[in-house]
Amino acid sequence: QVQLVESGGGLVQPGGSLRLSCAASGGFFTVYAWDWYRQAPGKQRELVASIGSGGDSNYADSVKDRFTISGDNAKNTVYLQMNSLKPEDTAVYYCNADLKESFKRRTSDYWGQGTQVTVSS
């Protein structure tokens, strides 16, 4: 019953910023980790950023020092702050959650619907 709903995508100019949000809701669950992926046309999905239950975060080399992942446990929400955006950041961005629903096994098979980020002048 858990679903992830994303928001915040859009069109921005190079050098601009966007903040993506992804909220989990439905039933009883515990989130253990969050990930952000992106997929550009003709390319494979790639992991952009992740954050664990201990607050540790990791980033792809291509976005280090520009993107920041953070979470709000009270809201069951993860964010991706994207600064200094480049045209090569253009992609559909997907959030992913490692979570456990009551009476089910822990799994990372939870995905947002995707939100388009386009960086262009």
Side-chain angles (χ1 to χ4, degrees), residues 70-117:
S70 62
D72 186 332
N73 291 334
K75 296 181 178 180
N76 290 314
T77 300
V78 66
Y79 304 94
L80 185 67
Q81 179 66 47
M82 304 184 294
N83 299 324
S84 301
L85 283 162
K86 305 174 180 180
E88 49 263 45
D89 295 318
T90 296
V92 177
Y93 285 70
Y94 300 91
C95 62
N96 170 267
D98 178 4
L99 62 78
K100 184 184 184 303
E101 294 184 75
S102 295
F103 308 110
K104 295 183 179 180
R105 289 186 176 185
R106 174 178 168 178
T107 179
S108 60
D109 295 336
Y110 295 90
W111 294 88
Q113 82 280 10
T115 184
Q116 177 70 47
V117 172

Side-chain angles (χ1 to χ4, degrees), residues 33-73:
W34 291 101
D35 302 298
W36 283 99
Y37 290 81
R38 68 185 182 188
Q39 187 165 23
K43 296 184 178 181
Q44 291 185 313
R45 183 188 66 181
E46 65 172 332
L47 178 63
V48 175
S50 62
I51 186 167
S53 59
D56 53 303
S57 59
N58 291 286
Y59 301 90
D61 288 341
S62 59
V63 306
K64 285 182 179 178
D65 302 320
R66 297 189 298 120
F67 290 11
T68 302
I69 186 171
S70 62
D72 186 332
N73 291 334

Side-chain angles (χ1 to χ4, degrees), residues 1-47:
Q1 297 183 45
V2 174
Q3 64 177 19
L4 310 185
V5 179
E6 301 180 35
S7 63
L11 173 65
V12 296
Q13 295 181 333
S17 299
L18 282 175
R19 189 180 75 158
L20 307 183
S21 299
C22 177
S25 63
F28 300 96
F29 61 92
T30 300
V31 179
Y32 295 91
W34 291 101
D35 302 298
W36 283 99
Y37 290 81
R38 68 185 182 188
Q39 187 165 23
K43 296 184 178 181
Q44 291 185 313
R45 183 188 66 181
E46 65 172 332
L47 178 63

